[in-house]
Amino acid sequence: MSDFFSIAFLETVRDKVLPGLWPLIAAMVFCAILVPVAITVSGRSGLMAMPGGRHAHSAPTALLGGLAMFVGFAVAVLIFVPSSFTRTGVLVVSGLAAVLLIADDRWRVSPGIKFAFQLLVALVAVFVFGFVIKYFGVPGSGGYGSARLVELGWLGIPVSLFWLLGMQNTVNFLDGVDGLAAGVVFIVALTLLIAAAGKDQIDVVQFAGALAGACAGFLLFNFSPARIFMGDSGSHFLGAALGVISILGVAKVAVAFALAVPILALALPIADTAWAIVRRRRDRSSVAQPDLDHLHHRLQAFGLNPRQTCYVFYASTALFGTVGLMFFGHRRILALVVVAALVLASTVAADRLQRSGMRIPASFLRRLLAEPNTR
């Protein structure tokens, strides 16, 4: 316990983590205030998700959650993050994603136009504001944690564009269950906050805190049963914000494996997205064609309800994200997260077994549970 609550630890929390707590609280409060407004505006403007087809909800549901999240995030950033070209870039890129993709929520644009919107967001991030991945790390010969940096040179531009497009699509594909995308991004943002705090990247800590707070405020209304959806506007906002914040974490400090934190934290959604692309190409269907074969759909087909499906993703995100933090020296926290993830996973599994009526044969346990003086 002294490792976790020593004076040095408490000073680190005060100086490096608390700067992200205030934007988190502010974004959560502003988002919680704005979401009811967004629900009202959605109803009056006709921006509603209608039931039927691939949609599991039974009543028309508001779709302007993404805009409420962005405004909550932007207000917190404007209040707590000092004015700079970087702050402007983060707000413009994430805001552009939120605003452009409202068109898809309103009119269901073609896959080509939707990709053009995604590409425009990525191009603005790379060429206007310079959010570029300039190097990556490979294992070094100096033992645990050692690495050497490999400069990408001109390859940094296509790699960065691919990264930003990938983040937008990963979160977009993930948004298929009430509370899933917002909860996962909340955990990933906290993971980025901790990683940045360990490297004195206070602005990245504040950006990540504001993003986590926007997700938390939205989850109050989006957790199953949802009263509002984030829509494509919200999922692309979250993906673009995650993309540029994680690139900032790489660009501001020469730390190999910096991108390992968001990649590992999003390992399950990234793998699901990659498999969806392969599956659709194999079936000779459009990559943008939606289906019901994503992992979260399969978990529900297995018998999990929306909340349990979210818990599975939350646990895996926290566990893989903590593994990513080990590259930054945060090894002690792994034990705590493993225990929490196991408790959450075992709770879901036990509930699933109970509901299904399955029995695990263990006749030898009857003696331990028998009444005294009986067999």
Side-chain angles (χ1 to χ4, degrees):
M1 295 297 289
S2 61
D3 288 335
F4 286 96
F5 298 104
S6 64
I7 298 298
F9 173 78
L10 295 176
E11 289 177 347
T12 299
V13 170
R14 180 196 64 196
D15 298 335
K16 300 178 181 180
V17 177
L18 278 184
L21 179 62
W22 310 128
L24 189 155
I25 294 174
M28 181 174 66
V29 171
F30 281 113
C31 190
I33 293 172
L34 290 167
V35 167
V37 177
I39 293 174
T40 302
V41 174
S42 292
R44 293 180 178 177
S45 62
L47 271 166
M48 306 290 288
M50 296 301 173
R54 298 184 308 110
H55 304 292
H57 58 283
S58 58
T61 305
L63 268 175
L64 276 179
L67 198 58
M69 278 196 296
F70 167 69
V71 175
F73 169 78
V75 171
V77 167
L78 289 171
I79 292 174
F80 291 100
V81 181
S83 178
S84 65
F85 187 68
T86 297
R87 186 185 77 171
T88 302
V90 172
L91 292 178
V92 169
V93 171
S94 58
L96 188 62
V99 172
L100 284 178
L101 271 299
I102 289 179
D104 190 49
D105 294 325
R106 184 67 180 87
W107 297 291
R108 285 297 164 191
V109 300
S110 67
I113 294 177
K114 186 173 180 179
F115 178 77
F117 287 158
Q118 296 172 349
L119 183 59
L120 177 60
V121 171
L123 289 171
V124 169
V126 170
F127 290 103
V128 177
F129 294 102
F131 294 119
V132 178
I133 302 169
K134 298 180 179 178
Y135 48 77
F136 68 94
V138 296
S141 57
Y144 175 81
S146 66
R148 62 186 182 88
L149 298 180
V150 177
E151 296 287 340
L152 288 175
W154 65 270
L155 285 175
I157 290 177
V159 168
S160 301
L161 291 173
F162 178 80
W163 173 256
L164 292 166
L165 288 170
M167 284 294 99
Q168 292 178 74
N169 281 289
T170 295
V171 179
N172 186 41
F173 285 174
L174 183 63
D175 184 30
V177 177
D178 294 351
L180 182 57
V184 167
V185 173
F186 171 78
I187 296 171
V188 177
L190 288 182
T191 305
L192 289 174
L193 187 155
I194 296 171
K199 298 301 176 182
D200 296 324
Q201 297 175 288
I202 301 303
D203 57 343
V204 180
V205 168
Q206 293 169 324
F207 286 131
L211 186 62
C215 292
F218 180 70
L219 270 174
L220 297 175
F221 303 87
N222 182 243
F223 204 57
S224 180
R227 294 173 53 193
I228 187 171
F229 296 151
M230 68 175 63
D232 279 3
S233 170
S235 61
H236 284 78
F237 154 65
L238 293 179
L242 269 183
V244 295
I245 291 172
S246 56
I247 288 176
L248 278 177
V250 176
K252 290 285 189 114
V253 63
V255 177
F257 311 120
L259 282 182
V261 174
I263 288 175
L264 284 172
L266 288 168
L268 206 57
I270 288 174
D272 186 44
T273 299
W275 175 242
I277 294 173
V278 172
R279 181 179 68 246
R280 292 169 187 177
R281 296 307 300 166
R282 183 192 61 189
D283 296 339
R284 300 183 182 277
S285 60
S286 170
V287 172
Q289 181 66 35
D291 58 34
L292 295 175
D293 288 325
H294 287 289
L295 180 58
H296 49 266
H297 292 132
R298 292 183 176 274
L299 287 174
Q300 290 184 90
F302 174 68
L304 300 187
N305 61 39
R307 293 193 174 201
Q308 292 171 333
T309 301
C310 287
Y311 295 151
V312 171
F313 273 83
Y314 295 170
S316 67
T317 302
L319 186 57
F320 285 125
T322 304
V323 173
L325 286 175
M326 292 178 65
F327 292 116
F328 284 75
H330 300 280
R331 294 191 293 274
R332 298 190 191 101
I333 198 174
L334 179 61
L336 294 178
V337 175
V338 167
V339 171
L342 288 176
V343 169
L344 191 58
S346 62
T347 301
V348 172
D351 183 73
R352 176 71 187 99
L353 289 171
Q354 183 178 13
R355 289 177 182 273
S356 66
M358 295 176 62
R359 295 291 184 269
I360 299 177
S363 57
F364 64 91
L365 291 178
R366 292 179 181 176
R367 296 183 180 180
L368 299 176
L369 301 176
E371 293 292 332
N373 302 321
T374 65
R375 298 185 64 183

